[in-house]
């Protein structure tokens, strides 16, 4: 049975390219969500960080290779994290975890 052209093309794409596209799209979705929360347009964001509206559009297409510096610029302008590091995640989990006042008593056999 012949494979379809889409299947053949998918097989040629490397796993790192798949991850790259997925992560970029996730970042773009996060920024879009933050813009929506603030009732901002891409123009508002562009003005806030001193970039052109077309550059912001390219950044949010999900295909642009964002640098860490540009992500930090976006985070600062939007007042919220876009990427969460393992340390941040651990701290957030610890803040929201229920506090135990006493250690459990070990069971003896």
């Amino acid at each position: 049975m012949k494979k379809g052209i889409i299947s053949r093309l998918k097989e040629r794409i490397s796993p790192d390219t798949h991850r790259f596209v997925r992560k970029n799209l996730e970042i773009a979705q996060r920024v879009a969500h933050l813009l929506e929360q603030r009732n901002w347009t891409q123009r508002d964001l562009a003005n806030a960080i001193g970039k052109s509206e077309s550059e912001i559009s390219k950044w949010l297409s999900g295909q642009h290779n964002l640098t860490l510096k540009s992500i930090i610029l976006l985070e600062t302008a939007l007042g919220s994290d876009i990427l969460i590091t393992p340390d941040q995640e651990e701290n957030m989990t610890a803040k929201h975890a229920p506090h135990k006042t006493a250690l459990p008593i070990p069971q003896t056999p």
Side-chain angles (χ1 to χ4, degrees):
M1 176 182 259
K2 284 187 173 181
K3 288 185 178 179
I5 191 165
I6 302 288
S7 296
R8 289 194 311 264
L9 288 173
K10 279 178 132 177
E11 289 173 355
R12 291 182 187 174
I13 299 172
S14 66
D16 59 311
T17 299
H18 276 287
R19 287 185 73 147
F20 172 81
V21 171
R22 182 176 49 81
K23 295 272 186 187
N24 265 325
L25 289 172
E26 289 172 0
I27 290 169
Q29 288 173 340
R30 173 75 175 142
V31 172
H33 174 74
L34 292 171
L35 288 174
E36 191 176 301
Q37 278 186 329
R38 284 157 186 71
N39 219 10
W40 276 17
T41 64
Q42 288 184 17
R43 176 178 286 159
D44 295 324
L45 179 59
N47 291 335
I49 62 174
K51 299 288 182 183
S52 70
E53 200 174 338
S54 64
E55 187 166 4
I56 296 302
S57 179
K58 185 172 31 168
W59 284 11
L60 301 183
S61 70
Q63 300 298 311
H64 184 74
N65 190 8
L66 291 167
T67 64
L68 183 56
K69 187 169 183 149
S70 60
I71 292 169
I72 298 301
L73 190 63
L74 291 169
E75 288 181 332
T76 302
L78 295 168
S80 189
D81 289 323
I82 294 169
L83 296 179
I84 307 294
T85 63
D87 284 346
Q88 285 176 301
E89 188 174 47
E90 188 175 295
N91 287 336
M92 290 184 330
T93 303
K95 285 180 186 176
H96 297 301
H99 295 287
K100 295 183 179 179
T101 55
L103 295 174
I105 300 170
Q107 300 289 326
T108 54

